[in-house]
Amino acid sequence: EPEVTQTPSHQVTQMGQEVILRCVPISNHLYFYWYRQILGQKVEFLVSFYNNEISEKSEIFDDQFSVERPDGSNFTLKIRSTKLEDSAMYFCASKPGTSGGNEQFFGPGTRLTVL
Amino acid sequence: GESVGLHLPTLSVQEGDNSIINCAYSNSASDYFIWYKQESGKGPQFIIDIRSNMDKRQGQRVTVLLNKTVKHLSLQIAATQPGDSAVYFCAEGGSNYKLTFGKGTLLTVNP
């Protein structure tokens, strides 16, 4: 069964450093998302991506964040200058086109620890 | 503003019992709602969804009920098994299919 994959599973970085979190969505999906989950809290929407551009972003997704789909396969989230409060689980999700139902398929997540 | 929340943060049941997990939402304009299950260290896993023009939907051992009058959503799990132990989130489907998640309910199934 196809699944969303994410790398790395755990990333440790120093405050102020740049990180890139990588995702490979399910191959025929058209909608892509990043969510984050601070330990013990709910999952929060960051950004949605469709047709090679951001379709919506939350207040969390400020100028320090960016997303790319560089090669039609990978979907990346970059944080330019990490802060302590960026420590969280980051989940990538993808969804088929509009005829494919409402389910978003989530990856296993990347745990980001900012020291 | 939009919000999705849960009445009960924890629920403990005996194996074989039925479980009911509740959720309140505030955005009456949502198109659909989804229940996700999250096991420790894993990403959310889809359980079942329901469109806003429905009031009940059944899956395998699960039933979702939607009461739009009081903006309430519930997930019923029949014959709960130890493998059902997880955190359960309700989520609201909005623009661009983005999901707004509730806080989660921890379901513990005792053998």
Side-chain angles (χ1 to χ4, degrees):
Chain A
E1 185 176 338
E3 58 183 17
V4 176
T5 60
Q6 291 185 243
T7 55
S9 57
H10 191 187
Q11 174 86 47
V12 181
T13 190
Q14 295 290 325
M15 188 171 57
Q17 295 297 303
E18 174 183 288
V19 295
I20 298 176
L21 310 183
R22 303 181 190 279
C23 168
V24 179
I26 295 173
S27 63
N28 60 346
H29 284 189
L30 301 180
Y31 296 85
F32 311 106
Y33 305 85
W34 283 100
Y35 294 83
R36 80 171 186 189
Q37 185 178 32
I38 295 171
L39 185 63
Q41 299 188 21
K42 63 182 181 180
V43 178
E44 300 175 288
F45 167 78
L46 291 178
V47 65
S48 59
F49 193 87
Y50 172 73
N51 200 26
N52 290 316
E53 62 181 16
I54 290 174
S55 48
E56 190 167 347
K57 58 185 179 180
S58 72
E59 293 178 351
I60 303 168
F61 196 89
D62 61 22
D63 291 344
Q64 296 300 312
F65 291 84
S66 62
V67 289
E68 276 190 339
R69 187 160 160 79
D71 54 12
S73 173
N74 295 283
F75 181 51
T76 62
L77 175 68
K78 179 191 292 186
I79 309 174
R80 291 188 183 81
S81 179
T82 51
K83 303 185 288 287
L84 295 176
E85 54 265 38
D86 293 328
S87 295
M89 282 289 288
Y90 288 80
F91 294 105
C92 172
S94 69
K95 181 191 171 307
T98 52
S99 63
N102 297 321
E103 179 180 356
Q104 285 184 27
F105 295 77
F106 282 77
T110 292
R111 179 172 298 283
L112 176 65
T113 301
V114 182
L115 302 176
Chain B
E2 299 177 356
S3 69
V4 179
L6 292 167
H7 293 306
L8 297 173
T10 61
L11 178 64
S12 183
V13 301
Q14 291 298 122
E15 181 178 359
D17 287 353
N18 297 331
S19 303
I20 300 176
I21 301 171
N22 297 300
C23 175
Y25 66 93
S26 61
N27 186 3
S28 57
S30 297
D31 291 328
Y32 59 93
F33 303 87
I34 301 181
W35 281 99
Y36 276 91
K37 171 186 180 182
Q38 187 178 28
E39 297 174 290
S40 181
K42 297 184 178 180
Q45 178 185 0
F46 175 90
I47 300 173
I48 191 169
D49 66 341
I50 186 168
R51 297 200 65 84
S52 60
N53 61 354
M54 301 171 67
D55 53 19
K56 181 178 180 179
R57 191 168 187 217
Q58 289 184 295
Q60 187 177 12
R61 283 202 305 120
V62 295
T63 301
V64 56
L65 299 177
L66 175 62
N67 185 332
K68 292 182 287 294
T69 301
V70 295
K71 297 180 184 175
H72 184 266
L73 192 69
S74 69
L75 177 70
Q76 300 177 4
I77 305 173
T80 315
Q81 303 167 359
D84 294 327
S85 294
V87 177
Y88 288 80
F89 293 94
C90 63
E92 170 190 351
S95 57
N96 298 299
Y97 303 101
K98 77 172 186 184
L99 296 175
T100 301
F101 282 83
K103 292 183 180 178
T105 291
L106 173 62
L107 175 65
T108 302
V109 182
N110 303 307

